[in-house]
Amino acid sequence: VQLQASGGGLVHSGGSLKLSCAASGRIFSIDEMAWYRQGPGTERDLVAQIINGGPTNYADSVKGRFLISRDAAKNSWYLQMNNMKPGDTGVYFCNAAVRVDRNYQYEFWGQGTLVTVSS
C-alpha cells in the first residue's frame, strides 16, 4: 500500500490550502484516515482524523479552520485548511489504518508535503 500526499505550498497568513492523499495497492478497506503535522523542531502531531468514514477528531489549534473529508470510492482524503496561521507551518503527512484483507490491518504513512504560512 502506498500513500501519495499532495497540495502543499506557500500561503500568506489568512489564506487557504487543500491537501490531498491518495492510497493505492492492496486495499480491502481504510478504517482510519488522518493528517499529521511536524513543525520545525517539533514532533509529529495529529491534526485531523476521520474514523470509519464517520466521526472526526481535530487538534484544538485547528478546530473551526480545518476540515477533513474523504472520497471512499477513490481511497482518498483531503484536508481543507482555511484562515491559516504561521503556526500551521510544517510538513504534513497523511496516515491511514488500512485493512489489506478481513483479518489484517496495518498503518501506513505518506511521504509528507511542506506547508509554509508566511506572516
Side-chain angles (χ1 to χ4, degrees):
V1 175
Q2 292 184 328
L3 306 186
Q4 181 69 43
S6 62
L10 174 65
V11 63
H12 292 298
S13 183
S16 298
L17 277 177
K18 185 175 183 178
L19 305 182
S20 300
C21 187
S24 61
R26 181 181 174 183
I27 299 171
F28 179 78
S29 65
I30 304 179
D31 296 341
E32 296 181 15
M33 301 167 170
W35 289 96
Y36 284 73
R37 176 174 67 207
Q38 187 164 16
T42 67
E43 296 185 351
R44 194 177 297 185
D45 295 320
L46 179 68
V47 175
Q49 179 184 46
I50 184 166
I51 301 171
N52 289 328
T56 55
N57 296 309
Y58 294 92
D60 288 343
S61 62
V62 307
K63 285 180 180 177
R65 300 188 297 120
F66 289 12
L67 178 68
I68 187 170
S69 62
R70 69 165 193 161
D71 185 334
K74 295 181 178 180
N75 287 327
S76 296
W77 57 106
Y78 312 94
L79 186 68
Q80 177 66 47
M81 303 183 289
N82 300 320
N83 188 23
M84 297 185 72
K85 304 176 180 180
D88 296 325
T89 293
V91 179
Y92 284 70
F93 296 89
C94 55
N95 168 275
V98 179
R99 194 169 294 275
V100 298
D101 58 33
R102 291 184 184 276
N103 299 314
Y104 295 98
Q105 183 192 77
Y106 300 97
E107 183 180 31
F108 295 93
W109 291 89
Q111 83 283 9
T113 184
L114 177 63
V115 172
T116 304
V117 184
S118 63
S119 57

